[in-house]
């Protein structure tokens, strides 16, 4: 009809067609300052991801440096103090400054979109959480300007007390880790509040995506174990600075208290990383096999079981300590019980993959490599969770290598899979597949060499955290291979980082739903506007996007091709309205349908087009 | 061939395993010299075999998925078969229970005290009479690592291993309370004798570890930790501290020398003599007395 009708058709509500605001909206251009000070959960999520990836690069460099020192016996490249400082900083960086923030930050971005929420429940708390985390990281690394901590990976007293490490490095480490953990706890509180109160209508738990399950479980775990670590670090700081005796053996305290508390936290952190890995891999595998997980309820329930059992297994790090055997058997029982939920998830993922149809895109490649690497790490941890085996092999290079395998498999490879998978949503761009095809095999292969060489070295008697080993110790060959493995894996990780950065900056432009995903985040435009969704759909199944696509396709079929332009004004409308009502008021009249897999925004004009043009048939 | 290429990482990894793992066959943990270490090795191999089987199953599925990538025509509904899930859950649960039971059995066996053999120190009354039972150091507060059965005084030999930055100190039976016979770095023990190793620390956390003789024992200041050692054959067994304790941590080594009962008693006598001579020399400001080499009692008889 007339141009006026063309302009106002989008706001016509006479027949219940919704008002569309964000179609064709220009991409908002924020200045750096506005972006960083925004309390929008998407900005916060991107800040988390960017900072976490920066700390990943730092951790990789530290790891390589340490392995260069350990490549030959009696090496003198890096002295003892420097190595111990690197070792201490790298453990804090890898866990508290990379893996956990990446998991929570991605969850802060993606989970509200997945549940159809227009924001988060506590945006200022989420914003505070990021700045606390960044402050923690800065505190730890600022200590390198004067005195870094040499307290070891977990900072166990009495070594970390003032009488053995007098400079303020341990204080900086403790304060930095505490700030980061506090930030993570705040972000977890926000996540839990959002997921529990702001889900779209109809989105029951049984219909929620698996990444939402995993992230909610992770958030609950962090809320439970984060304050425990804060307590331990506070006590350590009091001991060091205010004459406290919490961990002083001679005066009524006990170093064992810190061990229990710290291991509760680190086991909880490991659980969060495992949950993140499984959540991401489940999502990616479902999407890229064109088939949902074989049993979403079982996988979701298993994720919850891992969240509950995981932190309870902290004793498995303390089998050699002077605690009663009752405690040890409790730890073993919980650790071995984890075999059931982890096994069920692996079984379901394997069944989903075996059904065929795997598309080897970058997310899928990283997911498969990450899944395999996670298995190796978890298998090793299962072996050491038997008390007698733990007596020989805990605190060896092999035990650390298995923990690193889980961190790299779930945190790094799982993180890369997640970033490649959701980059189209974050930026409207898809990263190229080529770096993934190089990075994933490199990381996998390097970690394999590292794992097996570490096992041999541990069997030969090499404990963890040694800055140097001797010529006559007998594990020179194993360490040489371990270092080579680490170099390969690091090259792979840096390649993957490069791929992600490249995709972020210069990937090919894609539309809102490039992968034909099943969950609600693909319903929003890419990148989503500040309010995420114009219209929050009613959710009727576990795969809402499938329903939406089916409804749109059904409506397309109902449109009759017309020969006379004038009569086309009225004819498509009743059919379109009727079919949309049949589809159960899905209120998706104007959204770009993804059924054809195209990004053609003009196609959406066809159903409600009142201009007299023949409806464009979707190719 | 493109799909087979995706298996190359797996195959290369398998090759890497073979190349790298081969030297591990003669490693310390896999060469047990005590019953406890043997039990640990057995259960370690069992659990390792279980996870290898699980790993082959999972990676077979992954490899099959990488090879079979035909795309179905349309999105197929999720296949949920409750009986299959229940059966998988029950299988995994049974495996978990079996592993737990095996773990308990072998752990209990590994921490049990093996009584001394016929050639060990406590069996022969003529030999034990030379050790005055009332002079053996008794622990003040023994934590629960170890067998709680009542052991008669005089039956096990109590040796204290005290960790300090960055050396191990060993206190042998004999001498008086507060003035035990001690040595640094090298621990001499009699074979086929039940030894109660009492591990403690005077500064930071240390961890006793001699792989061929058994598992690790934490040395926590303020706590006592105990392990039983009963070595079958004479020999030299090396270990080290396995807890990060500062810059000197890698040099905190342990050398355990297992000798016959007679040689051990001769060593104790020599130790007492040297310590007494050293104290006298210190009091009088003289130089240290040169230590005598350990004599084989058989040689003495010939002379």
């Amino acid at each position: 009809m007339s141009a006026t009708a063309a302009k106002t058709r989008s706001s016509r509500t006479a027949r219940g067609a919704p008002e569309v605001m964000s179609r064709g909206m220009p991409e908002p251009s924020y200045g750096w300052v506005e972006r960083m000070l925004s309390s929008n959960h998407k900005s916060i999520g991107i800040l988390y991801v960017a900072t976490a990836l920066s700390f990943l690069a730092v951790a990789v460099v530290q790891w390589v440096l340490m392995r260069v020192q350990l490549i030959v016996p009696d090496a003198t490249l890096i002295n003892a103090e420097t190595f111990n400082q690197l070792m201490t900083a790298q453990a804090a960086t890898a866990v508290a400054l990379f893996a956990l923030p990446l998991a929570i930050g991605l969850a802060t971005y993606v989970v509200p979109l997945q549940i159809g929420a227009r924001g988060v429940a506590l945006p200022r708390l989420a914003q505070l959480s990021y700045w606390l985390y960044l402050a923690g990281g800065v505190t730890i690394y600022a200590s390198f300007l004067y005195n870094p901590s040499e307290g070891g990976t977990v900072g166990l007293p009495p070594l970390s007390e003032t009488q053995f490490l007098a400079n303020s490095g341990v204080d900086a480490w403790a304060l930095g880790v505490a700030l980061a953990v506090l930030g993570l706890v705040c972000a977890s509180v926000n996540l839990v509040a959002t997921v529990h109160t702001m889900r779209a209508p109809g989105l029951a738990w049984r219909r929620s995506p698996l990444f939402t399950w995993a992230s909610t479980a992770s958030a609950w775990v962090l809320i439970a174990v984060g304050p425990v670590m804060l307590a331990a670090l506070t006590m350590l700081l009091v001991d060091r600075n205010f004459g406290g005796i919490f961990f002083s053996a001679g005066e009524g305290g006990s170093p064992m208290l810190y061990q229990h508390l710290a291991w509760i936290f680190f086991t909880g952190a490991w659980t969060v990383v495992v949950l993140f890995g499984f959540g991401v891999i489940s999502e990616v595998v479902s999407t890229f096999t064109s088939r949902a997980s074989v049993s979403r309820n079982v996988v979701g329930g298993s994720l919850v079981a891992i969240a509950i059992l995981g932190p309870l297994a902290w004793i498995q790090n303390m089998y050699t300590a002077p605690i009663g055997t009752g405690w040890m058997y409790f730890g073993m029982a919980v650790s071995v019980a984890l075999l059931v939920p982890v096994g069920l998830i692996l079984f379901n993922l394997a069944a989903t993959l075996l059904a065929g149809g795997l598309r080897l895109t970058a997310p899928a490649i990283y997911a498969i490599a990450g899944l395999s690497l996670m298995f190796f790490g978890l298998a090793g941890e299962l072996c050491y969770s038997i008390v007698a085996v733990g007596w020989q092999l805990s605190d060896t290079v092999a035990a650390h290598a298995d923990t690193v395998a889980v961190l790299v498999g779930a945190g790094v490879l799982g993180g890369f899979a997640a970033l490649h998978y959701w980059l189209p949503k974050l930026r409207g761009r898809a990263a190229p597949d080529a770096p993934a095809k190089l990075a994933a095999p490199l990381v996998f292969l390097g970690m394999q060499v590292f794992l097996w060489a570490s096992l041999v070295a541990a069997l030969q008697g090499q404990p963890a955290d040694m800055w140097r080993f001797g010529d006559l110790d007998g594990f020179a060959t194993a360490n040489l291979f371990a270092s080579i493995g680490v170099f390969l894996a690091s090259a792979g990780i840096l390649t993957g980082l490069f791929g992600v950065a490249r995709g972020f900056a210069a990937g090919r432009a894609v539309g809102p739903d490039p992968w034909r995903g099943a969950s609600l985040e693909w319903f929003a435009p890419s990148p989503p506007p500040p309010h995420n969704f114009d219209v929050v759909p009613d959710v009727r199944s576990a795969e809402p996007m499938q329903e939406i696509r089916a409804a749109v396709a059904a409506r397309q079929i109902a449109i009759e091709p017309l020969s006379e332009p004038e009569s086309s004004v009225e004819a498509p409308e009743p059919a379109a309205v009727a079919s949309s009502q049949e589809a159960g008021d899905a209120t998706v009249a104007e959204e770009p349908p993804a059924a054809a897999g195209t990004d053609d925004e003009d196609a959406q004009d066809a159903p409600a087009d009142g201009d007299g043009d023949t409806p464009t048939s979707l190719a | 061939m493109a799909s087979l290429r995706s298996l190359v990482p797996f195959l290369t990894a398998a090759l890497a395993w073979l190349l790298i793992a081969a030297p591990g066959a003669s490693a310390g943990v896999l060469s047990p010299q005590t019953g406890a270490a043997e039990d640990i090795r057995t259960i370690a191999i069992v659990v390792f075999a279980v996870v290898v089987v699980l790993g082959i199953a999972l990676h077979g599925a992954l490899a099959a998925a990488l090879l079979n990538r035909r795309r179905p025509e349309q999105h197929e509904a999720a296949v949920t078969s409750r009986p299959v899930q229940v059966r998988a859950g029950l299988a995994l649960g049974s495996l978990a229970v079996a592993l737990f039971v095996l773990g308990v059995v072998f752990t209990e066996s590994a921490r049990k005290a093996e009584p001394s053999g016929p050639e060990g120190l406590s069996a022969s009354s003529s030999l034990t009479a030379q050790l005055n039972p009332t002079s053996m150091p008794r622990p003040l507060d023994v934590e629960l690592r170890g067998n709680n059965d009542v052991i008669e005084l005089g039956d096990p030999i109590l040796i204290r291993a005290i960790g300090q930055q960055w050396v191990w100190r060993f206190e042998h039976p004999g001498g008086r309370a507060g003035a035990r016979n001690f040595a640094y770095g090298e621990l001499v023990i009699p074979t086929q004798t039940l030894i109660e190793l009492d591990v403690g620390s005077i500064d930071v956390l240390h961890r006793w570890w001699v792989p061929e003789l058994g598992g690790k024992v934490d040395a926590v200041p303020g706590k006592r930790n105990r392990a039983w050692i009963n070595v079958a054959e004479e020999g030299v067994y090396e270990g080290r501290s396995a807890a990060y304790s500062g810059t000197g941590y890698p040099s905190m080594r342990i050398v355990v020398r297992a000798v016959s009962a007679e040689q051990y008693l001769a060593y104790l006598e020599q130790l007492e003599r040297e310590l007494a001579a050293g104290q006298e020399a210190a009091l009088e400001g003289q130089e240290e007395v040169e230590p005598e080499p350990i004599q084989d009692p058989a040689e003495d008889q010939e002379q």
Side-chain angles (χ1 to χ4, degrees):
Chain A
M1 285 181 62
S2 64
T4 325
K7 266 192 238 162
T8 57
R9 69 177 183 274
S10 63
S11 55
R12 184 174 54 207
T13 55
R15 288 181 185 76
E19 187 170 316
V20 174
M21 300 299 292
S22 58
R23 183 183 56 201
M25 202 166 84
E27 198 170 308
S29 62
Y30 298 114
W32 276 106
V33 177
E34 280 101 337
R35 240 183 231 174
M36 290 188 81
L37 296 184
S38 158
S39 64
N40 189 299
H41 72 96
K42 296 184 288 294
S43 305
I44 296 166
I46 295 206
L47 282 174
Y48 261 108
V49 167
T51 314
L53 292 181
S54 312
F55 280 121
L56 172 64
V58 171
V60 166
V61 167
Q62 289 169 332
W63 197 25
V64 166
L65 280 176
M66 290 198 295
R67 285 314 313 189
V68 167
Q69 163 65 11
L70 290 175
I71 200 168
V72 285
D74 292 318
T76 51
L77 186 73
I78 296 175
N79 64 6
E81 286 84 8
T82 312
F83 185 95
N84 294 334
Q85 289 158 2
L86 283 175
M87 170 186 73
T88 307
Q90 202 239 358
T93 308
V95 173
L97 299 182
F98 157 65
L100 294 181
L102 182 68
I104 295 296
L106 259 180
T108 307
Y109 192 112
V110 171
V111 168
L113 288 168
Q114 281 197 332
I115 62 174
R118 286 216 165 101
V120 286
L122 304 166
R124 295 268 179 228
L125 188 64
Q127 192 182 10
L128 173 69
S129 76
Y130 170 73
W131 293 105
L132 283 172
Y133 151 59
L134 184 65
V138 167
T139 307
I140 294 177
Y141 279 96
S143 70
F144 274 83
L145 293 174
Y146 46 100
N147 274 317
S149 165
E150 292 176 46
T153 52
V154 180
L156 296 172
L159 181 64
S160 53
E161 301 256 19
T162 319
Q163 65 184 123
F164 299 106
L165 288 176
N167 66 44
S168 56
V170 176
D171 297 300
W173 174 87
L175 190 59
V177 173
L179 284 171
V181 168
L182 182 61
L184 292 168
V185 171
C186 291
S188 305
V189 169
N190 168 56
L191 259 180
V192 163
T194 307
V195 178
H196 280 269
T197 59
M198 291 178 69
R199 293 199 304 275
L203 189 61
W205 280 110
R206 66 182 180 278
R207 294 178 182 156
S208 302
L210 287 170
F211 185 70
T212 302
W213 276 90
S215 298
T216 313
S218 302
W220 275 115
V221 168
L222 274 175
I223 290 174
V225 304
V228 172
M229 189 61 173
L230 292 174
L233 292 171
T234 308
M235 286 193 266
L236 184 64
L237 287 169
V238 167
D239 265 19
R240 285 182 60 87
N241 296 299
F242 302 108
I245 52 167
F246 287 111
F247 307 128
S248 306
E251 301 171 69
S254 171
M256 295 302 303
L257 175 62
Y258 183 94
Q259 278 200 32
H260 281 287
L261 297 179
W263 281 121
I264 290 175
F265 171 74
F266 280 104
T267 315
W270 174 92
T271 308
V272 167
V273 175
V274 167
L275 287 172
F276 171 75
F278 279 142
V280 169
I281 294 172
S282 303
E283 288 271 345
V284 169
V285 163
S286 313
T287 304
F288 291 100
T289 53
S290 309
R291 169 192 287 268
S293 274
V294 174
S295 173
R296 299 181 67 261
N297 290 343
V298 170
V299 175
S302 298
L303 289 169
V304 172
I306 293 175
I308 294 173
L309 292 174
L312 286 176
W314 86 90
I315 299 277
Q316 71 167 350
N317 301 294
M318 296 171 61
Y319 286 150
T320 56
I323 57 179
T325 43
W327 278 109
M328 297 183 210
Y329 289 139
F330 163 68
M332 179 165 81
V334 176
S335 307
V336 171
L338 271 173
L339 177 62
V340 177
V342 171
L344 279 175
I345 293 181
L346 291 174
F347 169 71
N348 275 280
L349 287 173
T352 311
L353 286 166
L354 270 178
L358 177 67
R359 287 181 278 158
L360 269 191
T361 54
I365 296 171
Y366 279 126
I368 303 286
L371 181 65
S372 173
L373 205 49
M374 276 181 78
F375 171 80
F376 281 98
L378 291 170
E381 307 254 351
L382 177 68
C383 291
Y384 309 143
S385 67
I386 307 289
V387 178
V389 182
W391 280 346
Q392 277 283 25
L393 290 174
S394 66
D395 291 291
T396 55
V397 283
H400 275 216
D402 283 318
T403 311
V404 169
V406 172
L407 268 177
V408 170
V412 177
L413 292 178
F416 286 162
L419 287 170
H420 279 264
Y421 183 57
W422 279 305
L423 196 64
K425 188 54 56 185
L426 265 65
R427 289 286 289 170
R429 299 176 187 279
D433 281 353
K437 290 188 170 145
L438 177 62
L442 258 184
V443 173
F444 178 78
L445 195 60
M447 288 301 300
Q448 286 296 318
V449 172
F450 174 59
L451 277 171
W452 291 96
S454 297
L455 178 63
V456 169
L459 291 173
Q460 290 169 331
Q462 184 179 10
D465 302 338
M466 285 211 303
W467 70 275
R468 188 171 71 169
F469 60 94
D471 200 19
L472 300 174
D473 282 330
F475 23 82
T477 318
N479 274 280
L480 177 64
F481 275 109
S483 291
I484 291 174
V486 168
F487 298 155
L488 286 174
S490 305
I493 295 175
L494 292 175
T495 310
L497 267 178
F498 167 74
V500 168
R502 192 156 158 144
F504 204 84
R508 67 179 194 278
V510 292
D513 188 17
W515 316 121
R516 295 176 58 90
S519 42
L520 271 181
E521 76 268 27
W522 305 109
F523 187 55
S526 292
H531 55 283
N532 293 347
F533 299 95
D534 301 324
V535 179
V536 178
D538 281 345
V539 174
R540 299 295 158 97
S541 77
E543 302 185 307
M545 279 302 286
Q546 289 302 115
E547 304 257 301
I548 290 169
R549 286 187 209 113
V552 170
R555 198 177 46 206
Q556 300 302 327
I557 291 165
I559 293 169
E560 300 287 330
L562 300 166
S563 52
E564 285 200 351
E566 288 81 31
S567 58
S568 74
V569 172
E570 293 300 308
E573 302 298 330
V577 171
S579 63
S580 80
Q581 282 169 348
E582 282 164 18
D585 197 24
T587 63
V588 293
E590 305 293 345
E591 279 304 311
T598 66
D599 309 325
D600 190 359
E601 299 226 342
D602 292 331
Q604 70 185 343
D605 292 335
D609 194 341
D611 278 352
D613 297 331
T614 3
T616 313
S617 65
L618 297 169
Chain B
M1 292 319 287
S3 355
L4 276 181
R5 215 171 57 196
S6 51
L7 290 183
V8 164
F10 289 125
L11 296 173
T12 323
L15 192 61
W17 301 337
L18 290 172
L19 284 176
I20 294 166
S26 63
V29 172
L30 298 177
S31 315
Q33 299 294 331
T34 65
E38 271 178 35
D39 288 326
I40 294 176
R41 181 182 66 169
T42 311
I43 184 66
I45 290 177
V46 166
V47 173
F48 188 75
V50 166
V51 300
V52 164
V53 168
L54 292 175
I56 290 176
L58 176 70
H59 286 84
L62 289 181
L66 286 173
L67 287 174
N68 169 29
R69 284 188 272 124
R70 55 155 188 89
R71 288 184 61 169
E73 283 309 312
Q74 57 195 351
H75 183 98
E76 297 168 27
V79 174
T80 309
S81 167
R82 201 172 183 81
V84 172
Q85 299 285 347
V86 168
R87 264 181 265 159
L90 284 175
L92 288 165
S94 318
L95 182 62
V97 168
L99 280 178
F100 179 76
V101 168
L102 277 178
V104 171
V105 163
F106 278 93
T107 305
E108 287 296 310
S109 173
R111 68 177 199 136
K112 210 170 46 182
E114 289 171 51
S116 304
E119 289 165 34
L121 205 50
S122 65
S124 162
S125 58
S126 61
L127 290 171
T128 44
Q130 300 180 34
L131 278 176
N132 183 355
T134 59
S135 75
M136 289 213 303
R138 296 308 302 170
L140 299 171
D141 171 33
V142 180
E143 290 294 330
L144 297 173
R145 166 96 177 267
N147 202 312
N148 289 328
D149 291 348
V150 173
I151 306 281
E152 287 179 359
L153 197 65
D155 216 11
I157 306 298
L158 183 89
I159 293 178
R160 268 219 186 97
I162 298 164
Q164 59 192 75
Q165 281 179 326
W166 286 285
V167 70
W168 287 95
R169 170 191 167 104
F170 304 108
E171 290 185 355
H172 290 269
R176 304 180 311 279
R180 298 287 173 209
N181 298 324
F182 66 88
Y184 282 97
E186 184 188 58
L187 174 63
V188 179
I189 57 173
T191 56
Q192 299 195 27
T193 305
L194 178 61
I195 293 163
E196 185 180 338
L197 188 74
D198 188 14
V199 181
S201 163
I202 59 170
D203 45 22
V204 299
L205 184 72
H206 301 284
R207 195 167 283 134
W208 166 274
W209 190 32
V210 181
E212 286 158 315
L213 299 187
K216 300 181 169 75
V217 185
D218 271 20
V220 181
K223 296 246 180 198
R224 288 285 184 219
N225 213 343
R226 184 180 67 179
W228 301 108
I229 297 182
N230 189 334
V231 188
E233 289 177 17
E234 299 184 26
V236 176
Y237 311 113
E238 292 183 355
R240 62 199 323 142
S241 175
Y244 171 68
S245 49
T247 47
Y249 152 62
S251 55
M252 198 165 157
R253 288 191 169 84
I254 303 163
V255 177
V256 175
R257 195 148 58 94
V259 298
S260 70
E262 295 88 355
Q263 285 177 314
Y264 176 67
L265 290 170
Y267 169 78
L268 284 184
E269 286 174 22
Q270 182 195 1
L271 199 60
E272 193 153 0
R273 273 202 307 274
E274 285 178 11
L275 286 171
Q279 280 198 315
E280 273 182 39
L283 285 169
E284 295 178 23
Q286 291 172 2
E287 287 178 358
E288 271 188 283
V289 177
E290 189 155 330
E292 300 168 8
I294 290 185
Q295 302 274 351
D296 194 331
E299 284 179 41
D300 284 339
Q301 285 179 355
E302 282 169 19
Q303 285 168 5

